[in-house]
Amino acid sequence: MEKTLKPMSGYLTLVICLILFVAAVYFFVSGVDQSITFVVLSMICFLTSCFFLKGLMIIQPNHSRVLNFFGKYVGSVKENGLFFINPLYSSQKMSLRSENLQGQTLKVNDKMGNPIEIAVVIVWKVGDTYKAAFDVERYSDFVKMQSEAAVRHLAMSFPYDNLEDDHAPITLREGGDKINSILEQELTDRLSKAGIVIQEARISHLAYASEIAGAMLQRQQATAIVAARTKIVEGAVGMVDLALKKLSEDNIVELDDERKAAMVSNLMVVLCGEKAATPILNAGTLYN
């Protein structure tokens, strides 16, 4: 469990160290010509000054020190400034600043077994200095390895898109913020044991693997063409139906079933054709 310490200010100790150092110089110079006692006092003052100096520590903003006393955790100092601690304490520097992790592009299989390429950007920082210092070997390496594992698990849990799974509620390509939230939660669960706080996680690269990218592109294009054609046919059928009803209601012309079929065929060709139809004028009767 992390314990936050607030040690005493180090400015008074710094002044005392300077005084002891000056005294050591004075006694040493005096003892050279007078007495060995002054030399002994000089050594005592100098060693005491060095001992106190060892207890001084400077903590920069958004940094901390983890303190130990002969293998026993004492606490963590998170305030910035000049402080004085027990000179027998050992300290470990630790940054509390936010860091970016640009993950490498991984080739994994999605839920449907398709090979894809995926990479993420993670913003993280140390939240619990005790866990980061003592619960894992090297917390920075731990973040990298667990982040890669979380990305692989995410990719295998969802399909890339809904081409093969029409009922998929979430896909990697269209999941957006929901996929990012799931990734953040996955990383939080994995990295909490190291005292790491995940501030943001986003997918930075997502694509089919090169060996199937061309085939998947053709499939997407075919799906888009079919969807567009479906809309065109639905609209054309509605327009033909409206035209026949309008002709019948307004008594503009009476058409038998054969002529209705011919009219429907012509209208469907005109409305659904990719190119503009060439009109042909009938100068004779309706049946000639």
Side-chain angles (χ1 to χ4, degrees), residues 182-202:
I182 294 174
L183 176 60
E184 290 180 12
Q185 186 60 47
E186 176 82 11
L187 290 169
T188 299
D189 295 340
R190 289 175 176 269
L191 298 177
S192 59
K193 64 180 65 177
I196 303 300
V197 176
I198 300 299
Q199 297 176 302
E200 186 179 7
R202 293 286 182 269

Side-chain angles (χ1 to χ4, degrees), residues 9-124:
S9 175
Y11 292 101
L12 178 60
T13 304
L14 180 61
V15 172
I16 293 175
C17 289
L18 291 176
I19 293 174
L20 289 174
F21 182 77
V22 172
V25 174
Y26 172 77
F27 286 136
F28 181 79
V29 173
S30 301
V32 173
D33 299 328
Q34 298 182 17
S35 173
I36 192 65
T37 303
F38 288 99
V39 177
V40 174
L41 289 175
S42 173
M43 294 298 297
I44 293 175
C45 290
F46 178 75
L47 293 176
T48 304
S49 174
C50 292
F51 183 73
F52 283 164
L53 282 175
K54 189 178 182 301
L56 290 175
M57 66 177 183
I58 299 175
I59 301 180
Q60 304 294 340
N62 280 329
H63 284 74
S64 66
R65 292 286 187 94
V66 180
L67 305 179
N68 294 282
F69 183 67
F70 292 107
K72 182 179 180 180
Y73 173 68
V74 177
S76 302
V77 182
K78 293 186 175 181
E79 295 187 16
N80 59 296
L82 177 64
F83 300 101
F84 176 72
I85 59 173
N86 188 335
L88 298 178
Y89 287 168
S90 60
S91 64
Q92 176 182 348
K93 295 181 180 180
M94 192 169 294
S95 174
L96 302 179
R97 293 178 294 184
S98 298
E99 298 189 37
N100 281 319
L101 174 61
Q102 174 64 62
Q104 61 178 345
T105 300
L106 304 176
K107 181 181 289 187
V108 297
N109 292 334
D110 68 353
K111 185 178 180 180
M112 307 307 297
N114 298 316
I116 63 173
E117 295 178 350
I118 186 171
V120 299
V121 175
I122 302 170
V123 182
W124 62 277

Side-chain angles (χ1 to χ4, degrees), residues 75-265:
S76 302
V77 182
K78 293 186 175 181
E79 295 187 16
N80 59 296
L82 177 64
F83 300 101
F84 176 72
I85 59 173
N86 188 335
L88 298 178
Y89 287 168
S90 60
S91 64
Q92 176 182 348
K93 295 181 180 180
M94 192 169 294
S95 174
L96 302 179
R97 293 178 294 184
S98 298
E99 298 189 37
N100 281 319
L101 174 61
Q102 174 64 62
Q104 61 178 345
T105 300
L106 304 176
K107 181 181 289 187
V108 297
N109 292 334
D110 68 353
K111 185 178 180 180
M112 307 307 297
N114 298 316
I116 63 173
E117 295 178 350
I118 186 171
V120 299
V121 175
I122 302 170
V123 182
W124 62 277
K125 69 175 183 178
V126 175
D128 190 315
T129 55
Y130 175 84
K131 291 182 178 180
F134 302 113
D135 285 356
V136 294
E137 183 65 26
R138 286 182 293 274
Y139 66 89
S140 58
D141 293 340
F142 186 81
V143 170
K144 294 178 182 178
M145 296 300 296
Q146 291 300 317
S147 298
E148 181 176 330
V151 172
R152 290 184 180 275
H153 182 263
L154 176 74
M156 292 186 294
S157 300
F158 300 97
Y160 179 87
D161 53 28
N162 54 9
L163 288 178
E164 296 184 3
D165 189 358
D166 296 334
H167 303 290
I170 305 176
T171 63
L172 295 173
R173 187 167 64 92
E174 299 178 354
D177 292 337
K178 196 164 186 179
I179 285 292
N180 292 330
S181 298
I182 294 174
L183 176 60
E184 290 180 12
Q185 186 60 47
E186 176 82 11
L187 290 169
T188 299
D189 295 340
R190 289 175 176 269
L191 298 177
S192 59
K193 64 180 65 177
I196 303 300
V197 176
I198 300 299
Q199 297 176 302
E200 186 179 7
R202 293 286 182 269
I203 295 178
S204 60
H205 174 76
L206 182 64
Y208 281 114
S210 58
E211 56 266 27
I212 67 167
M216 287 301 178
L217 179 59
Q218 292 178 352
R219 183 173 182 176
Q220 291 175 352
Q221 291 173 343
T223 302
I225 291 173
V226 170
R229 286 295 180 187
T230 301
K231 290 294 183 181
I232 292 174
V233 171
E234 290 177 357
V237 170
M239 293 174 67
V240 170
D241 181 61
L242 179 62
L244 293 175
K245 288 181 179 179
K246 198 68 175 175
L247 290 172
S248 177
E249 291 174 359
D250 295 346
N251 294 320
I252 296 175
V253 64
E254 289 293 336
L255 299 175
D256 57 18
D257 291 340
E258 182 180 354
R259 290 301 174 183
K260 285 183 180 181
M263 182 177 178
V264 169
S265 176

